[in-house]
Amino acid sequence: MKRKRYDMEKKKKTELQTAIEELSLLIITKPVDNIETSHIPLTPFLSFCNLIIQVLDKIGPTMAVLRQDIDQNIQRLEKVCETDPCVYSNLVEILKKERNEGTYKMVASCSRALLWLTRTMDFTAGLLRRLSKEMSSKMEELIEETYLLTLKLHHGWIASAAFKVCLKLVPDNKTFMEAIGGRDESYETLREDIATLSSLLTPILNEIFIVLEQFGLNKLRSM
């Protein structure tokens, strides 16, 4: 009976609420003296990214390209972790492995996968932050403004053009809010969940960006 009640309570949670719980498990250890001894736990980070895919799905076809990119990068990192779970449960060890092999800047590297996952999560955090403060603004405008300040900085003309076309498929605010909110969730509760997730995610991403910069990955661009 207890198990059944627990399962029912779990089902009532929205993707945002579950993502907040997952993010609370993500603790980054970053020594001041040597950043390469930092510890970025792979499992909770990828678990959170998987949940974000579900949130992006609510926006519709516009996020299809980002969704596919996130999914491929998650699979790439999971695959290398499976080769030695004890060592590669720390994302920094994956960065060091590929740097030593001279493959870390290659298109199909796990280092690049982590870089783009972090950038996409940065876009997500920015969108959520704007949404929590400007819930009456048009979704298309919020997404475009966030894109210009995040992913656009690292996209080439092909990726930028594809994103611009996808913007035409963005749902209106009401449709999106109803999709990501719980059936019995109030407008204010939803706004608080969005703001909480953004506030938790931003400092974590900043720490990961510092590590990526240390490995010389921060300036890599797409086509």
Side-chain angles (χ1 to χ4, degrees):
M1 181 63 72
K2 289 183 178 180
R3 177 65 183 177
K4 184 177 181 180
R5 184 166 59 252
Y6 171 78
D7 290 339
M8 289 178 66
E9 290 175 353
K10 189 173 182 181
K11 289 179 182 178
K12 291 180 181 178
K13 295 175 183 175
T14 64
E15 285 91 351
L16 286 176
Q17 292 166 346
T18 304
I20 289 171
E21 290 185 356
E22 290 289 340
L23 203 57
S24 66
L25 301 176
L26 182 53
I27 300 175
I28 295 177
T29 305
K30 196 185 71 172
V32 177
D33 56 337
N34 184 4
I35 204 167
E36 291 193 15
T37 61
S38 301
H39 186 273
I40 304 174
L42 179 144
T43 300
F45 181 67
L46 295 189
S47 180
F48 172 78
C49 290
N50 269 313
L51 285 167
I52 288 300
I53 288 178
Q54 298 176 42
V55 176
L56 293 178
D57 278 344
K58 309 298 185 183
I59 300 177
T62 303
M63 296 294 106
V65 176
L66 281 183
R67 186 197 193 289
Q68 183 180 18
D69 188 53
I70 293 172
D71 193 47
Q72 289 177 344
N73 290 330
I74 288 174
Q75 291 181 35
R76 194 174 299 162
L77 288 164
E78 286 178 336
K79 187 174 181 179
V80 73
C81 182
E82 289 171 359
T83 63
D84 193 337
C86 291
V87 175
Y88 301 128
S89 61
N90 178 10
L91 285 165
V92 177
E93 292 302 320
I94 296 177
L95 295 176
K96 290 196 287 189
K97 170 183 178 293
E98 292 191 336
R99 183 190 59 186
N100 294 337
E101 294 172 347
T103 60
Y104 69 119
K105 290 187 178 181
M106 292 184 177
V107 174
S109 71
C110 288
S111 299
R112 262 191 117 107
L114 175 59
L115 173 67
W116 282 104
L117 267 179
T118 307
R119 285 174 173 172
T120 305
M121 293 304 109
D122 187 43
F123 164 80
T124 303
L127 178 59
L128 293 174
R129 184 165 53 251
R130 284 175 175 272
L131 192 57
S132 68
K133 296 177 180 178
E134 307 170 41
M135 294 184 86
S136 60
S137 298
K138 292 183 179 180
M139 277 297 295
E140 182 178 345
E141 294 176 356
L142 294 177
I143 291 174
E144 184 172 20
E145 290 169 2
T146 306
Y147 175 72
L148 292 175
L149 293 173
T150 55
L151 293 174
K152 169 68 175 176
L153 303 175
H154 314 290
H155 277 172
W157 71 271
I158 296 178
S160 295
F163 194 89
K164 189 172 183 179
V165 171
C166 290
L167 272 177
K168 298 178 181 179
L169 303 173
V170 172
D172 59 64
N173 289 43
K174 186 175 184 296
T175 301
F176 178 65
M177 293 303 182
E178 289 177 349
I180 65 174
R183 180 176 299 177
D184 302 319
E185 192 174 36
S186 69
Y187 186 87
E188 182 58 27
T189 299
L190 177 57
R191 189 198 67 78
E192 290 176 358
D193 286 345
I194 292 173
T196 298
L197 183 56
S198 174
S199 64
L200 287 173
L201 180 56
T202 299
I204 289 174
L205 295 176
N206 288 341
E207 294 293 341
I208 297 177
F209 275 130
I210 290 173
V211 173
L212 290 168
E213 183 176 7
Q214 182 71 18
F215 280 84
L217 293 163
N218 58 311
K219 294 183 179 180
L220 295 181
R221 292 170 57 86
S222 68
M223 295 179 64

